[in-house]
Amino acid sequence: MTATDRSIELINAAAQAAADKLAHDIIAYDVSDVLSITDAFLLASAPNDRQVKSIVDEIEERLNKELGAKPVRREGDREARWVLLDYVDVVVHVQHSEERVFYALERLWKDCPKLELPEDAVATRGKAEEYAQAHGDGGPAGGELS
């Protein structure tokens, strides 16, 4: 089994929206072979809570406007440390950079195929580490996100 065309369409639109709002380290996995509840995960992060909210709002607005998709569930809004948008076919995770490193979802899904994303989204990889170094944080503990 592989992600459906609709799932890939949603992932690509969400990835582009996240990139447009300067998300870091955008990556998507086809989880259809290991999960029966969804086809794909999109992961993105931001260095602060306000930007996490901005990214989530842009993804939700763009998917609704361009594809007529609304999430069936939105969790984590209040704290804006890890916001989850559940579109049934795809699940979008936008995390604060600290949560991204701590929970390391990439390690959980590393055996799943990565989905191709728009060029703008791919260009965000490594941005969390660049941001951390530029702002004196020393980068993510445990190395880079990929």
Side-chain angles (χ1 to χ4, degrees):
M1 218 163 93
T2 60
T4 65
D5 290 343
R6 174 67 173 172
S7 297
I8 291 170
E9 182 180 39
L10 291 167
I11 286 289
N12 284 324
Q16 185 63 54
D20 290 348
K21 286 295 181 175
L22 307 178
H24 297 165
D25 299 305
I26 302 169
I27 193 164
Y29 293 98
D30 180 338
V31 296
S32 61
D33 282 341
V34 294
L35 291 177
S36 60
I37 57 172
T38 193
D39 282 349
F41 280 165
L42 180 76
L43 310 176
S45 54
N48 61 62
D49 302 353
R50 183 178 297 168
Q51 192 174 356
V52 167
K53 282 185 177 187
S54 176
I55 293 164
V56 168
D57 289 345
E58 182 68 17
I59 291 169
E60 192 169 6
E61 183 178 324
R62 183 108 34 118
L63 267 58
N64 187 19
K65 186 193 282 187
E66 293 178 5
L67 302 172
K70 292 182 179 181
V72 296
R73 195 170 75 221
R74 181 174 170 156
E75 294 183 6
D77 264 347
R78 195 175 320 167
E79 300 83 23
R81 301 289 294 181
W82 180 351
V83 179
L84 179 144
L85 295 172
D86 182 353
Y87 287 91
V88 180
D89 294 332
V90 302
V91 176
V92 177
H93 300 268
V94 182
Q95 297 175 297
H96 188 287
S97 298
E98 292 170 358
E99 269 65 16
R100 180 87 178 258
V101 170
F102 182 79
Y103 290 101
L105 295 179
E106 290 88 350
R107 283 194 289 246
L108 289 174
W109 306 109
K110 71 178 186 242
D111 294 333
C112 294
K114 290 181 185 176
L115 294 171
E116 286 189 38
L117 296 175
E119 191 174 312
D120 291 343
V122 173
T124 67
R125 299 202 183 135
K127 294 293 184 189
E129 191 166 342
E130 285 176 26
Y131 181 90
Q133 289 175 352
H135 291 84
D137 295 348
E144 94 180 40
L145 298 170
S146 57

